[in-house]
Amino acid sequence: FHIARGGYLCESCMNGAGALPLAAEVVARLANLQSLPAAKLLQSTISSEAGRAIEKFYQIYFHFHLEEIGKLRALEFVRELR
């Protein structure tokens, strides 16, 4: 995923700063975060590795797009999913 470009890239296009490689489980879980109700998400389980990768993704994403990242509750919600 390229934060500045705002989307997923193939391996050959991921060179340079701002590219964040994401495992298939992480991509699937990020899609779930967009489409499933919160109650359903809280019932699901994910691997610790995927949870850390999703948390890192959101930290980088929010930091890039927002100035006041410390005030966001979305990161708390992602931590609860682990």
Side-chain angles (χ1 to χ4, degrees):
F1 190 88
H2 197 280
I3 299 297
R5 292 183 183 174
Y8 298 102
L9 303 174
C10 68
E11 286 188 35
S12 62
C13 295
M14 281 186 42
N15 57 2
L20 180 64
L22 299 174
E25 180 185 5
V26 174
V27 173
R29 296 301 180 165
L30 287 171
N32 288 346
L33 286 169
Q34 290 181 317
S35 61
L36 295 177
K40 182 84 170 172
L41 289 170
L42 291 172
Q43 293 173 353
S44 66
T45 58
I46 61 173
S47 69
S48 296
E49 185 177 330
R52 285 189 300 273
I54 291 169
E55 185 176 341
K56 179 180 177 180
F57 169 82
Y58 277 120
Q59 287 174 339
I60 293 169
Y61 184 86
F62 290 145
H63 182 71
F64 182 83
H65 291 287
L66 303 170
E67 292 181 22
E68 298 184 11
I69 189 169
K71 297 179 182 177
L72 294 176
R73 294 185 41 96
L75 290 177
E76 288 179 37
F77 179 76
V78 169
R79 287 184 186 114
E80 288 179 20
L81 294 176
R82 293 197 291 162

